[in-house]
Each structure stands twice: as C-alpha cells, then as structure tokens.
Amino acid sequence: MSTRLATGGRLVNRAQKMNFTFNGERLSGHAGDTLASALLANGKMMVGRSFKYHRPRGVVASGAEEPNALVNLGTGNRLEPNQRATTTELFEGLAATSQNHWPSLEFDIGAVNTYFSRFLPAGFYYKMFMYPRAFWKHVYEPFIRQSAGLGRAPEAHSRDEDTYEHFYAYIDVLVIGGGIAGLQAALAAGRAGAQVLLIEQTAHWGGRTPVDGGEVDGKPAAEFVEAALAELRGMKNVALRTRMMGAGVYDHGYVLAYERMSDHAPGTPGPRHRLWRLRCKQIVTATGAIERPLCFAGNDVPGVLLASALRDYAVNYGVSIGDRTVVVTNNDDAYRTAISMKEMGLEVPAIIDARAGGGGALAQQARDLGIRVETGKGIAKVKGTRRVEGVAICAQAGEGAVLDEIKCDAVAMSGGWSPVVHLWSHCGGKLDWDDAQSMFRPRASAPPTGATGEAFVIPAGSANGHLGLGDVLADADAAGRAAAQAVGATPPKTAAPQGAGPDEAPIEPVWLMPQGVDIKLRMKAWLDFQNDVKVSDVQLAAREGFESVEHAKRYTTLGMATDQGKLSNINGLAILSDALGQPIPQTGTTTFRPPYTPISMGAIAGEARGKVFQPIRRTPIQDWHEAQGAYFEPVGHWRRPYCYPQGGESHAQAVEREITQTRNSLGLLDASTLGKLVVKGPDAARFLDMLYTNMMSTLKPGRCRYGLMCSENGFLMDDGVVARIDDETFLCHTTTGGAERIHAHMEEWLQTEWWDWQVYVANVTEQYAQIGVVGPNARKVLEKLGGMDLSRETLPFMAWADGTLAGIGVRVFRISFSGELSYEIAVDASYGRALWDKLLAAGEEFGVMPYGTEALHVMRAEKGFIMIGDETDGTVIPQDLGLHWAISKKKDDFIGKRAQERSHMTDPDRWQLVGLETLDGGVLPDGAYAVAEGTNANGQRNMQGRVTSTYYSPTLKRGIAMGLVRHGPDRMGEVLEFPGTDGTTHKARIVEPVFFDKDGEKQNV
Amino acid sequence: MLILECPCCGVRGEETEFHGGGEAHIKRSGPGSSDEAFHDYLFAKENPRGVHFERWRHVYGCGKWFHAARCTQTLEVFGTYSAQTTEPPQDIKDKISARRPGWTWREFA
Amino acid sequence: MKRYSVFAVAREAARYHTGWERAWKSPAPKKKYDVIIIGAGGHGLATAYYLGKNHGIRNVAIVEKGWLGGGNTGRNTTIIRSNYLQDPSAAIYEKARSLYETMSQDLNYNVMYSPRGVMMLAQTEHEVRGYLRTAHANALQGVDTRFIQPDEVKKLVPIINLDGPRYPVLGALWQARAGTARHDAVAWGYARACSDMGMDVIQQCEVTSIRQTGGKVTGVDTTKGSIDCDKLGIVVAGHSGVVADMAGFRLPIESVALQALVSEPIKPCMDVVVMANTVHGYMSQSDKGEMVIGGGADGYNNYTQRGSFHHIEETVRALVETFPMISRLKMLRQWGGIVDMTGDRSPILSKTPLEGCFINCGWGTGGFKAIPGSGWGMAELMAKGQSPLTDEFSLYRFREGKFIDESVAAGVAH
Amino acid sequence: MSEAQSALRGTWHKGLVTVAEAGLQGMITLRGQTGEAGFADAVKQATGLDLPDTRTIVAADKRAIAWMSPDEWLLMCPYEDAHDMVAGLRAALAGRHHLVENVSDARAMFTLDGDDATLREVLAKLAPVDLHPERFGPGEMRRTRFAQVPGAFWLTAPGAARVVCFRSVAQYMYDLLCVASSEGSAVGYFKP
C-alpha cells in the first residue's frame, strides 16, 4: 500500500495541507505535491483503466511520460479530460475523476475485454465486424467508440471561462530544459553575453540531479544547481521561466513554447496559458532522458513503476509505493532506487539484475547495505492483478522456469534510458543508434538546418546521450559555448565544472524478459500501457507483413496514445527488429511530431475569441445601423445591413417596403464599403486600358464609365464605375469585397510586369463615407441641403462634381445601380455620419427610407444589372453575360483578352445570360438548374442552364430571375423546366434580362 | 515558418507578414501567342524539389513585391532580390552555386 | 488467401495467433509486367486492383519508393463525401463513395467506412446560395444531399455554437451517406487484394528514371533494377512533378504542404463530420475518440512534410469559436503532407505526351475520398484508353480553358 | 468642424498600459521618387520636414513624416490642416510624377502609455516584431500585422507608442489592445 513516509519530500511543505477529491472521495495532500504523489500518499494505487482491455492502471512514471495516470480534471466549464496526474500540481479544492470505466473504477464492465483479450489481438477489427454490412454503422462502431475514448467529453454547451494569449519574442539562444545540463548551457551562453531564454516545463529547477545526487567540483550537485540559478538570475541578458514547455521546433528557428500560468492556481486573474512564438538563432535542447520499462509478464500491474519514478516519489514527495520493493534492471541506475529505499528504512527483498556480470560501484554499495542482488536473472511474471503481490524470478537466459518467488508490493523496473530527442527531431534532426548505451541519440552531423542552411539546434547533456554527471556538464558547457559562438558572442575561457558520480557498469540491452519467454507470457508483457499493445502484438504485426515501423505502429497502435510512445516506442521497435531479424537502426523510428506533450486548443487560438475572434469592419454609419436594429449580412469582414425591419416586420416585408419607398420617393444606401482606388500618373490611362476590358483612356475628366475587370485567365473578377478626375488621375470603384483584392492586383501588375510605367495607386476606400441618395425625390432632398447645382444640365447621368452640401465638402457621382434618379455622395469619413443625419432630416418630408443590401440586389435585378458573385462565380466571362458592349474591340491587348480566345471560351454552346419569368408568377428557387433531355455518360441528368439570381419583385409584383442558359439569347419565349429539391418542378419562360424601365427613363430625369 | 528579408525595406520578418506569389521570372504571353505558349505561361510549373525562384509580397509591411531564391527541400533561403528584373542577379546565382553545385532552373544555372 | 472473419480470429486465438499469414507478399521485381503503377498509395493500389478485377489485367507491379500507404493516404483526415457541384467531380466522387459503401466486403478487409454524414455549414447569404445551388445540382447528378436548417444542424451536432458572435449558422448542406473510413486500412486492404490476385507490390523501390523509345514508354529504372512494361501509370501524389519530369513533361501543378492535427481522445461527442468553410476549419471524431481537424495549405512550394504553424492556429481558432467545448481539449499531434495543387484545384487523370504513360495526380486536398472512384476510372482509362469518369479530367483541359472549378460554390475546400 | 467624428471619438481604457484613440488626426499619403532631383526639397518646402530614412519617422512640433515604403511616406498634421497641406504638396510637386492623397479619415490612431517594458510586451502579444529594447527604439517606424489586421506603430518616447490602422477596424484594434493589456496578463519578459 503506497503511503506518505514520516519524513522526506524536498518539494512538499508538510505544514500546508491541501484538500482535493478523487472520484468524489475527499482526500488531502500537501503544497508541492503533484496530483500523482498526493494520490499515492493516500494509497490510491489504481488510478485508471487502459484504453482497449480496460485493465487496472496505476501510476508508472513521475513526469510528462506518464501513460496511465490520466484524469478528468475539474467540472463543468473547467472540465479538462486526460490530464496527467504526474504533471498536475495539487491545489486546494482540486477535483479529479478517473477515466474510461463504467460504472466505476473498481467495477468496470469494460474489463470483460481483458478476458476476451486473446480474441482481440492487434488489428482484430480489420478482420472482423464486416458482416452484415449495416452492423458496422449501427452496432459495432457505436460499441467501439463508446468503449474507447478515454477522457470525458466536456458538456455540449460548456464555455471555457479562462482566457489565453500569444507572445512573440526573438532571441539569440533558447535553452530548453532546466535540469543541470540546461543550467550549465545557459551559464555558458549567458557568460558569453548572448541573449538567453531558459525554460523549464515543471515548477522546479535542477531536473533529476537533486534526486540522483553526485558531486560537482567537490560539492553536492544540489548546491551547484542553487549557485547556477543565482548566477543566471543576476544576468541581465538571461531570462528564466518555469512551467513553460518547449512544445515544438519548426523551420527557421521558430519555436512554440507553452506557458501554464494558472493551472496550478485556477481562478488567478489573467490568461491561463500563454503560447510563445519564439524566433531563435540557436536552440539548445537540454531535455533530458526518459527511463524505459522492461518487458516481462505483468509489467502493467499497478505497483510496477519505473525505478526512477519510485525514487522521485520518495525523495521529492516523501511517498513510498510499497514497503517491499523488488528492483529489476539491466543497468546500474536502478540501484540508486534500491539504495534510497533502503536508506528510508524500506525493505528491498532483492535487486534482479539481468546482466550476468551485474553492476558496478552502486551494486557494491547495495550489497554492503545487505540487499540481495541476483545477477543474470529476470522476472518471469508479476503476481497480482489490481496491485503487485509478488514476483516470480527466473534465469534471464532461459524460457521462464520459475526459480524463486518473492513477496513484494512494489516493483521498480529499469530498461535503460532514452534521450528526449523529440525537439531535435521535429525539424529534421537525424538520429544514430548507440549500441553501447542501447539508445537513439542525435547525429551531430545531421542537425536541423535553418534559413541560412546552417544548424540551429544543439542537443546537450543526457538529451545528447551523455548519462554520467561529468559528461552531462562537459557536454552542456560545450553546447552553451557553441550556441553563443554561433550567434556572434565570445565565451570567456572558463573551465567546465567537473561532475563526478560512481563508476557504472555498462548497460546490457534486455528487450524481453526472460529472453525465451513463451507466447502465453508474451501476451502479458506490455509495451504500450495505455493502448494495451503487448510484445505479442508487435510480433504478430511483423508476421503479417507490417514490417515498416510506421506500419507496425499504425497496425498495433503502439505509441499512438496520449504519451505518443515516450515509454513504449524504443522497446516496441526493438521487439519489431528482433522479429524481422534485423538490427534496430535498420528499423528506424517513427516520425517525431509536435507538440512534445499535448497543448490546449485555447492556447493555440490565443486571444482570438468573442469580440476579437475576427475583425469586423465598420463604416462611419455603422452605429446608426445598429441602433436601428438592422439585420446584418457578413460581406467579407464587413457587416452590411441586409434590411431594417420595423416593428414585427419579417425580413421580406422590410425589403419590400424599402424597395417600394425608394422607387416611389426616396431611399438611402450606405455604400461606404465600395472600394475606391486612386490611379494616378502619366501612364494611368494606358494602365487602366490594360486592366479593364473597356477603353478607359477615352473617358473625359468629369465623367464616369462602368468598367469590367477580368483575370489573366479570362474570367470576370470585378466591376465598378471609373471616374476620371483629371488627365492623369482616375478614381476606380470596386465591389465591396474587391477593394483590397483589386488594389493588390494593380500593384502586382505595376511592380512585377510594367514596372517602367509611371503610375501610382492609393487605396482611399475608407477615406470616404459614400451614401447613395436614390429615388424620384433624390435631387429635391439634395437641393434642400443646398450648396451645389445638381440639375440635369450641370450634372447629367454618368457625370461627377465636387462641391458642398449643407456646408460639408462632397464629391457627387450621378450614377445608378437601381434604375432610379440616383446620386452617390462621397464625403470625408469623419463627416459621414453628419451628412447621413442631415439627409435623414431633410428627407423626412419625402418619407426617406434607408435600404439594405437585399433591396439593392432586387432593384438591380429588376434592371437586369449583373452582380459579381451572383451572375459570376469565377467561371463566367463577360461574353457570357451579354456584356460585349463593354469589351473594347479597338484594344489589341487587355488582361484576360488572350485567355478569352481559347477554344472553350469561344464555344457557342456556352451558357448565356437571360431573364427568366415563372409562368405562375412565383419565385424560382435559388440555384436551380434547367434540365435537358437524357443523361450523360455518367448517368447524370443533362442540364441546359441555371438560375443565377432570383427574387420576388415588389415593383412588378411577381418573381423575376436571371440565369445562364445554353444559346439563351436565341431562345426568347421558350419555356424551361427547373426541378426543385422538394420534388416540385418550376416552369419559367426565357425573356430579356431587363424587367423594369427598359429605356431608363427614370434614371435620366 | 519561414523568415524572409524584404529587400525593399530591410525588414527580416516572419512568414505571416508576407504573401507568396508563386513561380518567378515568368514571361507574359498576350494576344498573338500560341495556345501552347499561353498555357505554359499560366499553368506549366517548374515545381522543383530543390532550388526554386519565387515571388513574394511584403503585404503587411512595405507592400512591395520581391523575388526569393529558396530550396523547397530544406527551405534554405539563398537570397531575396528586386522584383524588377527578368532573371536572378549574379551574386544570388553564385551563392546558390556555392551551396548547391550544379543546380539548374529553367534556363538558369 | 485466408479469408478474414470472426471465425478465423477465433480459430487463430486458439493457437495464439501464430498462424496468420502475410497480408501481402513482398516479392522481388520480375523482368517485365503488362502494367507498372508507380506509387503504392491508395490511388495506385486501387488502380491496380480494378485493372485486375474489372479488366483482367493481373500481370501488374505496383512500385513504391517507401512503404505502401505511407504518403497522403496515411496522412489525411479521412473524410469521404461526394457533394460536389460540377458534373465530372460529382460523378467520380460519388462513384468512389458508393464503392466505399461495400469496400470492406469487396476486399474482405474492414476499412470501417462510417456513413455518419457530412455537413457543410452555410454562414453567409452567399454560402447559402452556393449550397442551395449544389443541392439542386446534386439532385440531378444522383448525389443524395439536401440543405438543412439551423435547428436540424443543432440536432445533429449538439456541440455546435449556432450563433457565434461573428458568423451565425444559417443552415448547412447535408449528405447523410457521406462519412469517414480508416485510411490505412484502405491501402492495406487493396494491397492484400492485389497481392492475392498475383500482382507484385514492391516496396522500398524508388523509380530513378523512365525509359522510352520512339515516344513510347518501355519501362522504368529503379533502385531494385530496371523493369519493363507496356503501360505505365504515375500515381505519386506530392511528387507528381518530379516523376513527370523523368517522363519528360511538365505539369500544371505545384506541391505544397497541407496540415492536420488530432486532439487527445475523449468519449463520443460528435457523430458527424462538420466543415465550416467561411472560417476555414473542419472536424470529425475518430472511432478512437480523437477530434480530427484539417488545417490549411501553405502558400509556397514545399517538399518537407512540415507546414507553417499559423495555418494550424487559424483552423483551431475557427473551431474553438464554432465548437467552444473543445477549448480545453489538447492538441495531441500535428503533421503535414505534400499535396499537388493544379490550376483549377481539380485532379488530372489523363493520357500524357508519352505514349503508354498515364498520370493520376492533382487531387490537392481531396484525394482520400476519391480513391476507389479514381482507381476505377484510371484502370478503365489505362485498359481501354478512355473512361467517362476521367474524360473531363484531361491534362489538356488547361489549354482549352475548360476548367473544373469547385471553388465556385462558396469557396468550398476539399 | 464639430461635425467631424474620429472612428472611436477618443475612447480610452487603462489596463497594463493606457490605450486611447487619439481622435482626429491629419494624415496624408505621399508617393514619389526620392532619387529624383529636387523632390525632397519640394516636400520640405511644402511641409517643413525632411524625408526620413528607411523605416524611420521624423517629427517637428505638430507635424511628422514617416517612411512607409521606398516610394511612399505618411505625413501627419493637425486634422484641419490636411486639405491645405494636400493642396500645398500638389502645388510644390506639380510637373513631377507623384501622388498626394488625404487619408486622415481612412485611418485611426491610438496612443499607448505606460511602463516601457510592459508597453513593449503588450505590442509583442499582437505583432510579430522583435521589440527588445536594444533592437527597437523611438524614431523607428514599423509596418506590420496586429493579430489579423495590418497596422503600423512607433515609439514617440520610452513608454509611449502610437499605433495606426484602417478606420474600419478601429474597434477591433482597440479591443485587441485592451485585451492585450488586461489585468494579470503582464509577461515580465523585457527587463527594464
């Protein structure tokens, strides 16, 4: 039974009690505990259930590599599934529940899987559940989904109450990892004067050193840690941060660092997480190493832990896993665990060392302490199911014949250490297999390279394959110096600190225990504790031809759990290599992908939520629209009023009222969103002749012309009215969505094709509020405001003039998109609201009525004007829309002209624009297609046209539509059939697209 | 995440300040050109695995277009240069030759 | 071939699964084949499979420079749908979708096709019109889709935020028989079936050059020696330009990185696939419980399988806004693949300037869902020289200006 | 004049730093060729200001001129002077290829005031710019991206910054800056 020891625990403050709950049970721990150490201190050995077989799972590690101890943390809006108990700092009131079981952790129905496990080997689902077909969707899949899934899903309507943010920083040297190697590397780089950021994922500095001991320059290593910290804190060019993890290394020195500010103290004001986007010239990865489990039968039973983890819980938290700990190992390090257990007065019945030769100095020390040391032995199997009761010992070389059984309640296993090479590998760093140490380590000759082609990541210490204290410090010092030099700093000639530890005997690779263990026990020897992948599964994969490490991984799900194989990958690929009879390096590793450990979606989204999720562009008159309760529609990042419902009006009723009043008297439109581009220079006219299909150079100053713009690929991309200001200056109007796009289009041609042409372009879209004053009384209301002559004679249709209205400087364009007498008035944006208010006041006697985009659309459709985005969709050329009149025949070139000469563009069978009139006066459905006889080679019904715009016209009191129809213009009067999606069919007659005031008398008054 | 130095304003900015504009040094084919030539102008791409020349715009900065010589396999940037040229300048070509002896790209080498 | 079934599994369980045979053989290349397919991804393997099954051509080798299914087949977000706007797209994707329905039975390999339904959110008036248009087109194309209202959206996806502060959900295009499948299994299932037909799936075999005489293809040189063939199919998404270069022609293609990510697994909370194109994000939940999320494509040529992080950021931003409950979930893993982008973002299945050489490429971000239809059409094209499924996807359409542009329906991403 | 309204009419908020919309501000876009003989003199004659070096801004009493690109500058002056200054510049540059446009109403300007290190951190949460005190100082003009919109900023003095963006996104920019300087979000990275 795990428990809190009477003494010990360098990280916990026994004076400060902290209450928390686990599965509703009230428990308490100390400040400084992790949730894992607190649970263990309360005797909670079993903390969860595995993914596939729902096997009992206990804590196996003490850090980020933990695969088992995952909990649902918090509740409601603060629920966070799959939190690792080993990296969750305890706080007052913490509430956690265990995962993946029903009805309870102790009695889990899903645990029956473990009895069927023999029938559920790797990839079993690829071979089953195929018949009957319908059963997959309705029976098998729901069951599988329900039994998988681990953590609880947050409630559908839960809303994260925390906030998040991003932060950009550019630094010379980033050191990742606050262990002894990271500290030394930071010292070396810092002393050289380089700008350094040192980050540590936990709340504590020093990494394993304070636990593992050793001496630096003759003093206890722990003292060195304190001294190093003190010196670093004193350097102005060095910044240190804890609770900040190096999550990913990306191209050109980009690093994501994940800072958790308040996970340990929920409710603290400020963001919960901060995602740092670092640009680093050099990165030192001092990320340490992770201990590997050993593969023996029952190595997944709660109470079997990594040897280092047992040590951590005892030394850091004063927590023992059991009273009798058997240590099993293939290297010397695990002896440290035995020794510290013994020193704490706990029993160590035996150290089982798989190496025939046994260990070095530490082994001797253990023996001197009176610990029984068995060499050349292994564990045949672990006794117990919900927790360790004992182990059966056998010869490592044999097939598992039991030599002895030892009662114990904890097993400390060590299969050696694997450098944490994730961050080295994210951006392409290569690895070498080190046979002597049985580990993959960074290949110095193949580092990740950056923008300059030079290396930008330097591994240090045990992350670089150096496990002895002396080697770690020397390597880290060199790494820090190298990084500093690479950024142009000069390290002083100080000697690296001398680290010293006991001499250690070499590790001997042990991938399976015992070596010749039979299939029955191989099916009980776990590789991936969370995903329930066993030795037998990987061997099966190899047997079935899944020979690449990627195939084996995906087939068995080895290493695909939330720990991404931190514990299981190396053992797994060793087993795979063995099964394939090839050396480990030939098998290789799977790809390391960011993040190192999972990071919150909230942190990735950063500040972008709620009102700052995305920009909303506002016109100078937006406040008024909102005050009127307008119904808005998003157009690009703008939100334009769709209509202004009054009282209980429906949108349709509001639109009808706005149109009727505009046609009969006076309407106002906020047209500020229209793009406005000033094009100026000696070559401006020539430039516009290339941009527009029309001839713009012949436009007279003071006049306006409607123009079409095509892409070089021939398709219509934008349209608008061009006003010539003077010989050298044009003002080009674009669609609402078009301003930035067309501005960029112009700049692109000017800068990259015709750079010798003298033309400047300025985007003045937002300099002006633009107000459409529309309707029979438009002139009257403007004359009321007074200040300029707007008579038919001085300002005819398609002319513009500068002047003042009601004392405000304006530019008036006499243009119409509605077919009514219409003026568009541009005014400095700061005066936009003032002019709008004056127009409303002056227009009162005419029943002035602001109208929205829908009324605008209907009125333009009544007039047969095309709308970019409705009649066009990126596949339509001006010729399709009967706009030949706007395509200059005189010009030998314009953007899109050559494209429009291609065979398909000149095909007479292209669909052409027509008007459509339903026979019953109803409204054609949006997007409906006109059917033709028969079907095509793929059995699809033939089509001969489609609806591009369709509305109810309040003016004509009937449905009107525009559409593209094969040979349409030659088929006036023909009736087409448009099947709806509801089984009905609509009949419509082909007519001219202009439905209203064909001769344009209304706009020309 | 690329870092690019805009030759027009000197800013060494991160990718999100820029906008990629595709293959560089493409000669426009207008009216009178053959279908073949026009097709190649708009659609045929070098798309090499290795040395590549491309267009970028410093869209969130000075707004200027420029050229970049870059390796599509390692993302190494050999250099950036003016958009107002029809071929890579010699110093850029020399730099590439030093890093990737024997490189060729369309008619350049 | 030993058939897979629950009984076979039970039988094997009795002997601790020691009796399973290889899913596919890994032979050395023969001197000559009738057809060589370059690329043992989903499309290449499916092409080979239907060459054998539909056209009796079984003297076929599929050569793969890495491991089968190791490219984009194993890197995508496994969405399968056919609610496309243009006739040629709807035809080939619907053919694919219908083949997916019975694939597990056809291949005797459970690819876990899950017709859970795919929903495309309409969040602007323009998108509403675009999807209504698609629904009308689909009705005539024999693709079963319909436009649904917000209340039905909410019923199907309880975790969705219908009235985001930014874009309200105005409705959605819903295809009930669309869904997802287990991507690796598709490649493995086809490989096993091809191998069973006597075809050679040759992995770790990189093509170094393509041999031709008199404008006709004669074979390929590979890292495992040179192999002759009468017909050659290039099916190497991501590297099409590089291999086409060996065959001596250029393609209207650029290769860019496309990214995806998964969250940690949680209990079932979302039973359908949701795509939100206005805010650029889509998400589904895998059978394992991970939220599978598709990111955007980079704007520059890239042959590393790493993309730029800001695309991940934009996608996650959009999805946290659309599904607020994912805010406290965590990203477990992100990765990238290299995709071919053509001039009109639609694929190329076509003859080439080199006689006897055919190419299948340019699937951009939408390849997985098309695998069986693509293989079916490509096989017919290679066997008969013509296929109604591939006619419109010719390499030469770009000359005529005859594009197949799917972006027209409200900029729908694949 | 009283009828003229700036985008946010001087709204302000005090968080880690004080964020305030600066009200009406005259701004003029000038484009031309620096290399061209007499161009700089003409500009000086009309504005009293020398053309600034690349990526810098020079100020004199109520006026300032900022480098925007190799052929573009942004002139700043009191709002009510803008139209006259446009006329003056056009006259001074007549006969040369140039462009002068009043953009006073097309933009919004914000002032940020507070502790220098904190202010830098607020900016660094939104803009992908190296704001280390040794690498970015007063007098430098930086056009960049603030979260999802274009913007430009410069330091008028330690602890005092100006941010300019398009008028239509003034509210978004203001909200961003307020979020970035919200209580409890100090980073503590840039050491004073």
Side-chain angles (χ1 to χ4, degrees), chain A residues 838-918:
Chain A
K838 290 179 192 292
L839 282 162
L840 286 174
E844 206 165 356
E845 67 177 277
F846 308 108
V848 62
M849 191 142 310
Y851 63 90
T853 51
E854 187 63 1
L856 163 84
H857 287 170
V858 176
M859 287 192 280
R860 66 91 192 172
E862 290 174 336
K863 286 291 295 178
F865 296 141
I866 64 125
M867 173 72 79
I868 299 290
D870 288 346
E871 277 60 46
T872 71
D873 62 5
T875 68
V876 173
I877 55 177
Q879 293 84 343
D880 299 340
L881 301 177
L883 295 170
H884 302 80
W885 58 269
I887 307 168
S888 167
K889 311 279 176 301
K890 297 197 207 70
K891 296 192 291 184
D892 39 18
D893 191 7
F894 59 80
I895 294 169
K897 183 177 173 50
R898 174 61 183 87
Q900 290 164 3
E901 291 165 358
R902 291 172 298 187
S903 59
H904 184 62
M905 301 277 185
T906 54
D907 183 344
D909 285 344
R910 287 183 73 89
W911 295 0
Q912 313 252 320
L913 186 76
V914 295
L916 296 164
E917 236 173 37
T918 50

Side-chain angles (χ1 to χ4, degrees), chain C residues 15-54:
Chain C
R15 43 176 160 159
Y16 301 96
H17 304 280
T18 51
W20 292 110
E21 61 190 22
R22 294 181 63 93
W24 52 79
K25 298 175 217 65
S26 71
K30 291 188 285 183
K31 183 83 203 64
K32 179 176 189 306
Y33 295 88
D34 297 345
V35 174
I36 292 177
I37 303 292
I38 307 177
H43 289 264
L45 291 163
T47 302
Y49 175 74
Y50 293 111
L51 274 172
K53 188 160 183 275
N54 297 354

Side-chain angles (χ1 to χ4, degrees), chain A residues 118 148 162 250 277 543, chain C residues 17 105 267 313 328 334:
Chain A
R118 199 163 142 186
D162 287 307
Y250 301 79
R277 288 99 139 246
R543 186 155 60 247
Chain C
H17 304 280
Q105 293 71 33
K267 291 297 179 187
E313 196 177 299
R328 293 179 90 91
Q334 67 167 102

Side-chain angles (χ1 to χ4, degrees), chain A residues 678-757:
Chain A
V678 171
V679 179
K680 180 178 183 300
D683 297 309
R686 174 188 180 198
F687 178 56
L688 293 188
D689 278 347
M690 287 301 292
L691 278 175
Y692 287 90
T693 62
N694 325 56
M695 187 73 86
M696 286 300 172
S697 48
T698 56
L699 181 61
K700 301 261 174 303
R703 306 290 298 179
C704 303
R705 180 170 293 163
Y706 172 75
L708 301 174
M709 236 183 252
C710 292
S711 67
E712 185 73 320
N713 203 15
F715 299 114
L716 190 51
M717 64 187 279
D718 207 70
D719 68 348
V721 169
V722 177
R724 188 162 199 168
I725 307 303
D726 57 41
D727 274 354
E728 282 201 353
T729 315
F730 294 80
L731 177 63
C732 304
H733 290 93
T734 75
T735 56
T736 290
E740 287 68 29
R741 187 164 43 87
I742 300 303
H743 182 210
H745 177 67
M746 290 179 173
E747 283 294 337
E748 180 173 358
W749 284 98
L750 285 172
Q751 291 182 39
T752 68
E753 185 69 26
W754 301 309
W755 60 75
D756 52 338
W757 294 15

